[in-house]
Each structure stands twice: as C-alpha cells, then as structure tokens.
C-alpha cells in the first residue's frame, strides 16, 4: 500500500492530484523546472522568429543589438549580487540570446544550430539546477546561504559557518576575506548588523579568535532577558568558602554571573582585585550589596569597609563587618593598616608553605612541614582568613590622600590573601593613578557616559561589542563583568545584578547576625598588624552578646534587673551627682587637654600637653593627625599651628609618629603596652 503524500499547507487526508508518489516527485521537481521551461521557450522563440525574419538584414541588426543590450543589462543589474551569480547570469543570457538571433535569421535547423541547442540548452538548465541544490545545502567553505545581511554591512565576502543555536543565543563562526579585511572591520560593523536585525547594540557581539586576525565568533542574543528585574533572595552559598564563586546576578541569556576573589593554583587562576565603576543612578549601591552579602555569607573571610557616605546603603550589614570606617581620617588609618597587614600576612603564609592563600590557610595549621617551628612538630597556629578591603566612593578617599593611595596595596595584596575592591563613578586618570588602575584586573562596568567607556573596560572588550555608555543611568544594575575564571567570550555579554527590594533589609540583618556568630575571626597576625597601626581604631568584629548586637558580652554579676549593666561605676557610687564641682584654686596643676587655662603654658608644659594630646587622640582611635586637628587645642592653650607643626616633626623623629602619603598628615605609632 502506498501512502498518500501530504504537501505543505495540506491537512492530513488531502493530497495533490491522485495523491501518489508521482505527485510527491512532481512537487519536489517543480523548483527545478524553470530553467528547462526557459530552454524550451528559447527553442520555440527561435523557430517562430525564423518564420518572420529569416534572411532579413534589418532584423539581424535589430536582434544583434537587442542581444547585446540584454546581456549588458543583466551584467549591470547583477552588481548588487555576488560575482559568481553575476557572471553565471550574464553568460546564460548571452548564450541564449546569441542562439535565438542566429535561429531567427538562418532557421533553427541550419548548420550546427540544432546541435548547439540540444547540447547547450540542457547544460545551461542543469547548471542552474546545480546552483540551486548547492545553495540549499551547507557550503563546505562555511559560506552562508543568506549573504544579504553581510552585504548590507560591508562584509559581502565574509563566510559564516554552521551556527550553534541555544536558548536565546545564536553563535556562528565568521571569517572575513583573507588579505582584505580583519577582525577590526567586523567590530566596526556590529552596530550596522544590530540595525539590520532591529536589535539593540548590546545584543550583537563579536569574539575574535586569539589565533587569527580574520576569524572569530558572531554572537546574537535576540531577546533581552534582563529587562525584567530579578530580586535578591539571599546568599547563594551560606557557610561556604570564599574560594567558591560569588553569584552576583545573571547574563542576558539567563546564566548566572560568577566572580572569584581568591586564586586557585589547580585552575591556574590568580587572586584578583575589583573595580566597580558606573555613573550616578547606574546601580553601584545594589551591585555592592550583591558582593558584600555574598562575602559575608562565607565562613573564612573578613570584610573591611570604608564608606564616606556613613554606610547609608550598608548599615544593615555593619554587625557582620570586621572593620567599618567612615571617610576622612578613619579611612586614612585603615589604608595605613592595610599596608602594614600585607607584609605580615605574606610572611605568615610563607612560613606555612603557602605560595598564595587557599582555604586550608584558614584552618588550624597542623602540618609538621610548616617552617614556623624548628622542632619538627605541627605548629598549631590559628588559621588566617581571607581579607577583602572595600573602598566605597573611593574618589573622595583619593582626593584626600592622593591618587596613588592604593597603588602599593593593589600591587602587593594578592599574594597576601587580600583583595581590594574600589568603587567609584569615573575611574579616569585624574581620579586614580594609571598604576592603580592597571593593578585592578577585574571590572564590573555599569552604565556610564559614553566618553568614559574606555576608563572602565579594555579596548578588546569594547571592540567585541560591549557598550556600557548605551545604558547611562537608564538601566540600573546592567553591567559587564571582566574577571579571571570566566570564559573570555562572556566579557562582552551584558548582565544584571540582583535588585534589592525594601523587604530585603530584614534578611540582610539576619545575614549580618549569622556572620557575627559564625563568620571568621581575625587571626592574631592580621589583628596584631592592624592594631599596631590603628590602635584602638581597630577592634575587630565583636561577638554577639546578651545585650544589643555589637557590644561585648558582660558577666551575669554586671547585669542589673533592667537587663543592662550598672549605670554608675561601683568605684564612683559614693559621689553625689547633685554636688557642685569645687572651684579651681590658684596654684593648681596645669590645665588638662580641652580646658582653657587663660594663660600660655611654659615650653615644658606645652610639650607635656602635646604628648597628652597625642595620647588622647590614640585613645579615641584617631590615629592620623595633622596641624588642622589641633586648631581648637591651640586656641585653648594660646599656641600656634606652626608650633604644632614643629612638635609633629619632633615626634616623628622620636618615633612617636610616621609620615603618610598626604603632606602634613602623620600616623600615630601606638605606645607600647607594659606586659
């Protein structure tokens, strides 16, 4: 039994003609019949023409001119198509018109005309059939059947190979004409390709082949899956290691955006620093929250944060942060502490045979091969957590302490298990030094002014189709991620960080409490180096207590019936709070810091008062000072700022102060504490 053929557009049960295999074969042959019909028509035209114009000289001139004109018109009209098709068409028209002219003048059966027709007509018809078959099959040279798009954008001779189709992503190998074009020509044509496809510019990317200057991959993402915001639902790996990837959002094809901070010797990946750059309204705050919540959810990492905006975005996370500093002097102290921490951590890692930080370094060191002991036994040293130092709104810090404030940190910190994250709006050369920028290998580039794109992204990524300037502040959270560990073909793929809904605050507070209770505690090496510079300014993350979070736990005997400690120190219970203070008597000791004496102290008294002032600054945690910090003190003691400047220099020579990067600013060296 022969099944009936159901052609295109026919319902089951319907059929062409008799519905047999003959109908199917006729349907398949129909696209190839036009050349044969044209060949038959030429033979008929030659026979009929001979009846009218045989042996006519005038007709011969006219038919010859018509043949030449028709062939020329075919060549002219074929200039918009490929050279091969243009030549094939012109030869076909020239041969057909020449035979028709000869047949009309001499008769189709005269001389060799019948043989020429019987051989030439089938050959020309078959050539067009073969051309049609090859056009429908894959070209072995990788040439696409649809050349119209590439012709429109100036890449007519480029060859496209077999495309790989994924959900919302098409990837096709592309090769431009050898010796005539390069990958740079393709990069310049991306905007025109997007226009021809009626897609946004960011939807079309080109990834050059590193081993060729004329080959690469064209990537087209037809649907913007980022238009619908997705909100943060909590950390991706609570209790995991900081060595595991941080998930900070998704790409435009729906796949997650990964970022690694520590290196991995097995994967051949180094640790990294990160630059977060974007204009006002581009979503830097939420991007920072994505990174910080991921960091605080890991068990073996410390986070130090500097924020001149007084932690406006990050306040729910403060209990989980090991050290938080506002802008100005506290940030100066933190920067100096980071510089001191780096060599201390590097020395410890070297003593324990770590060429770079790995998760094992955060555990108690029980390997007898470690060289910090000489007796061949395991040292038992406390582990060293990874350290992330975050400089929010870094432009303010760089203005205060110099554009190269982070240069040494960025160049040296990775080997010490420290990552530096710098966030600012415009990472131009007038904001930070080029040396610092070159030492920040990872970038999260959010929307910006089109003129600022080159400050954030490498030229190769921009050439591949990345354009953060196209977003400005109209697409908050849209970004490009360039970082070790991800496929370089992803560098030019736009992504979007998770959004934070208003009700996310309570979840962030829960996360901060988890980090406070279960997160890493600063190791003695890091804490000691930080305290040696910052003194009381560095306290480390406090453990949770029975009272409000962030306060040290109290003994049961120190808690009264209200649940809090006593409001009055037991040593002062005998003092009557209503009693008046005694008046100062003549001959009393010199006034202490902050009390106006009404007279200028002697040189010896002034120096003693100055030493007391440094001690009070140190006790208050203000470890970086300069003449301007003594303005009120000078007024109270009738001393001048030049006098203070001289005393600061003397204290530096005596080892009580150290110079900082900023002119006129000095770091207090903590006074030694008696054992």
């Amino acid at each position: 039994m022969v099944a009936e053929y159901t052609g295109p557009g026919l319902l089951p049960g319907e059929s062409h003609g008799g519905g047999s295999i003959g109908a199917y074969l006729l349907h398949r042959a129909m696209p190839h019949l036009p050349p044969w019909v044209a060949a038959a028509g030429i033979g008929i035209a030659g026979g009929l023409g001979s009846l009218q114009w045989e042996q006519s000289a005038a007709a011969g001139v006219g038919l010859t001119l018509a043949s030449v004109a028709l062939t020329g018109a075919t060549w002219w009209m074929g200039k918009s198509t490929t050279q091969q098709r243009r030549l094939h068409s012109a030869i076909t028209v020239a041969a057909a018109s020449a035979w028709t002219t000869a047949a009309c003048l001499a008769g189709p059966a005269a001389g060799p005309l019948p043989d020429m027709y019987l051989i030439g007509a089938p050959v020309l018809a078959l050539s067009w059939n073969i051309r049609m078959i090859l056009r429908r099959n894959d070209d072995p040279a990788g040439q696409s059947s649809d050349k119209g798009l590439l012709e429109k954008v100036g890449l007519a001779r480029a060859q496209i190979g077999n495309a790989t189709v994924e959900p919302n992503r098409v990837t096709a190998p592309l090769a431009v004409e050898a010796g005539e074009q390069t990958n740079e020509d393709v990069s310049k044509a991306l905007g025109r390709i997007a226009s021809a496809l009626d897609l946004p510019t960011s939807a079309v990317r080109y990834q050059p082949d590193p081993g060729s200057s004329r080959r690469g991959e064209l990537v087209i993402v037809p649907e913007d899956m980022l238009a619908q915001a997705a909100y943060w639902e909590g950390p991706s790996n609570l209790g995991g290691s900081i060595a595991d990837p941080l998930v900070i959002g998704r790409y435009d094809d729906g796949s997650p955006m990964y970022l690694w901070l520590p290196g991995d010797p097995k994967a051949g990946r180094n640790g990294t620093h990160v630059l977060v750059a974007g204009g006002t309204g581009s979503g830097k705050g939420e991007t920072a929250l994505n990174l910080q919540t991921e960091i605080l959810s890991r068990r073996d990492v410390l986070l130090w944060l500097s924020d001149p905006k007084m932690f406006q975005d990050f306040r729910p996370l403060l209990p989980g942060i090991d050290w938080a500093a506002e802008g100005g002097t506290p940030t100066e102290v933190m920067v100096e502490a980071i510089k001191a921490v780096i060599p201390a951590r590097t020395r410890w890692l070297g003593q324990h045979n770590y060429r770079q930080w790995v998760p094992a370094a955060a555990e108690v060191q029980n390997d007898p091969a470690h060289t910090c002991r000489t007796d061949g036994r395991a040292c038992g040293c406390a582990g060293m957590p990874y350290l992330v130092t975050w400089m929010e709104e870094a432009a303010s810090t760089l203005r205060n302490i110099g554009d190269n404030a982070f240069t040494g940190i960025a160049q040296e910190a990775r080997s010490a298990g420290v990552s530096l994250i710098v966030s600012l709006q415009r990472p131009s050369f007038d904001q930070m030094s080029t040396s610092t920028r070159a030492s920040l290998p990872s970038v999260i580039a959010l929307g910006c002014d089109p003129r600022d794109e080159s400050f954030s992204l490498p030229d190769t990524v921009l050439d591949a189709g990345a354009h953060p300037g196209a977003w400005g502040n109209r697409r908050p959270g849209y970004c490009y991620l360039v970082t070790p560990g991800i496929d370089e073909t992803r560098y030019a793929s736009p992504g979007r960080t998770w959004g934070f809904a208003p009700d996310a605050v309570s979840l962030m507070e829960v996360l901060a409490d988890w980090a406070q209770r279960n997160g890493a505690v600063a190791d003695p090496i890091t804490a000691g180096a930080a305290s040696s510079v910052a003194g009381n300014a560095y306290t480390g993350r406090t453990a949770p207590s029975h009272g409000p979070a962030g306060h040290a736990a109290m003994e049961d005997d120190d808690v009264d019936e209200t649940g809090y400690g006593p409001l009055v120190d037991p040593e002062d219970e005998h003092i009557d709070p209503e009693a008046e203070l005694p008046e100062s008597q003549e001959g009393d000791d010199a006034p202490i810091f902050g009390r106006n004496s009404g007279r200028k102290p002697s040189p010896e008294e002034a120096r003693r008062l100055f030493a007391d002032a440094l001690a009070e600054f140190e006790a208050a945690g203000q470890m970086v000072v300069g003449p301007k910090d003594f303005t009120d003190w000078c007024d109270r003691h009738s001393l001048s700022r030049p006098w203070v400047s001289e005393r600061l220099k003397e204290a530096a020579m005596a080892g009580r102060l150290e110079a900082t990067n900023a002119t006129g600013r000095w770091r207090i060296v903590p006074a030694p504490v008696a054992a």
Side-chain angles (χ1 to χ4, degrees), residues 272-295:
T272 191
H273 305 309
V274 184
L275 171 65
V276 182
T280 302
S282 63
K284 286 200 312 301
E286 291 193 343
T287 300
L289 286 175
N290 276 282
L291 265 172
Q292 291 184 18
T293 52
E294 285 289 280
I295 292 169

Side-chain angles (χ1 to χ4, degrees), residues 237 239-246 258-265 267 269-271 294-295 297-301 356-362 385-386 388 484:
N237 187 11
S241 172
I242 190 62
D244 299 328
L246 311 179
Y258 292 126
L259 173 65
W260 285 266
L261 292 177
D264 184 353
R269 186 185 71 248
N270 291 323
E294 285 289 280
I295 292 169
S297 69
R298 307 305 169 91
R299 67 179 185 272
D300 50 6
V301 62
Q356 61 176 291
W357 188 93
V358 292
Y386 199 75
V388 178

Side-chain angles (χ1 to χ4, degrees), residues 398 403-404 426-435 437 455:
L398 292 168
D403 63 353
N404 63 346
R426 192 171 184 266
S428 57
F429 62 90
D430 59 341
Q431 295 283 346
M432 68 164 59
S433 71
T434 54
S435 297
R437 176 63 189 87
F455 296 140

Side-chain angles (χ1 to χ4, degrees), residues 153-235:
V153 300
L155 301 172
R157 299 185 181 181
Q159 298 175 341
I160 298 182
N162 295 330
T164 301
V165 181
E166 306 170 72
N168 197 40
R169 184 184 179 95
V170 179
T171 305
L174 178 68
V176 297
E177 186 178 12
E180 295 293 333
Q181 294 176 313
T182 65
N183 288 327
E184 185 177 353
D185 295 300
V186 183
S187 298
K188 293 178 179 178
L190 292 179
R192 296 192 295 274
I193 295 175
S195 174
L197 297 174
D198 195 18
L199 293 173
T201 305
S202 59
V204 180
R205 277 98 67 180
Y206 181 69
Q207 184 61 42
D209 183 345
S212 173
S213 61
R214 56 179 288 264
R215 299 182 183 274
E217 288 186 334
L218 186 66
V219 180
I220 300 174
V221 181
E223 180 183 357
D224 184 7
M225 298 182 67
L226 305 178
Q228 185 67 32
Y231 291 96
W232 181 72
E233 298 179 352

